[in-house]
Amino acid sequence: MANEPVVHVIDDDEGVRDSLTFLLDCSGIATRSYESAVQFLKVAPSMEPGCIITDVRMPEMGGMELIEKLKGLGVTDPVIVITGHADVPMAIQALHAGVSDFIEKPFSHEAILIAVRTALAHQQGRNEIEVERDDIQKRL
């Protein structure tokens, strides 16, 4: 389906990437995976809308830096942060950066699916509001 939302999975750990994409694919959710934030940023301006799952700690560029770069590019898709090295200050920083959810590894399949479905529903609602706003602007 052309308008189907896509979950963009960014993690340097191939096992985590494969596990997440398999889980989401089996749940009927389209995915794309990237081994680094740098790789993802190359496609970000033309990516399919949906949501983003990113690890906090990755070589070259971590998840928090990626979130700031995405904001600079005007990307508004919800971001779910996953990490194996969580602490309270990091969680607070992520929430202040506007992340949709913050999940510690190891995580349950249910926790990821709930976070993704919530993020996609939020994004869909935002898209519907933007379409309605554009329609009103045209009529004015």
Side-chain angles (χ1 to χ4, degrees):
M1 190 158 95
N3 293 331
E4 181 180 12
V6 174
V7 177
H8 302 273
V9 178
I10 308 155
D11 199 312
D12 60 312
D13 183 327
E14 183 178 8
V16 172
R17 263 192 339 267
D18 290 348
S19 173
L20 281 169
T21 56
F22 180 75
L23 171 66
L24 295 168
D25 285 343
C26 287
S27 300
I29 301 170
T31 61
R32 305 278 181 277
S33 67
Y34 312 86
E35 62 187 32
S36 73
V38 173
Q39 182 188 33
F40 175 69
L41 281 173
K42 291 177 183 174
V43 301
S46 62
M47 71 178 199
E48 302 97 328
C51 78
I52 299 162
I53 299 176
T54 185
D55 192 4
V56 169
R57 294 191 180 168
M58 297 180 285
E60 296 182 76
M61 181 187 303
M64 298 310 298
E65 186 181 349
L66 171 63
I67 291 167
E68 291 306 313
K69 296 231 184 248
L70 290 172
K71 282 183 182 178
L73 292 171
V75 174
T76 60
D77 293 46
V79 178
I80 298 166
V81 172
I82 56 174
T83 184
H85 311 282
D87 56 35
V88 172
M90 182 187 297
I92 291 170
Q93 179 188 7
L95 293 173
H96 283 164
V99 300
S100 174
D101 214 329
F102 187 88
I103 302 173
E104 282 188 88
K105 296 177 186 175
F107 43 76
S108 71
H109 292 173
E110 184 178 333
I112 286 292
L113 290 172
I114 289 170
V116 166
R117 288 183 176 128
T118 300
L120 291 176
H122 176 72
Q123 182 67 5
Q124 179 64 32
R126 184 184 304 158
N127 290 345
E128 289 171 3
I129 289 169
E130 288 176 10
V131 167
E132 188 175 335
R133 185 180 307 130
D134 290 346
D135 186 44
I136 291 169
Q137 284 288 67
K138 286 178 187 173
R139 284 191 254 156
L140 288 175

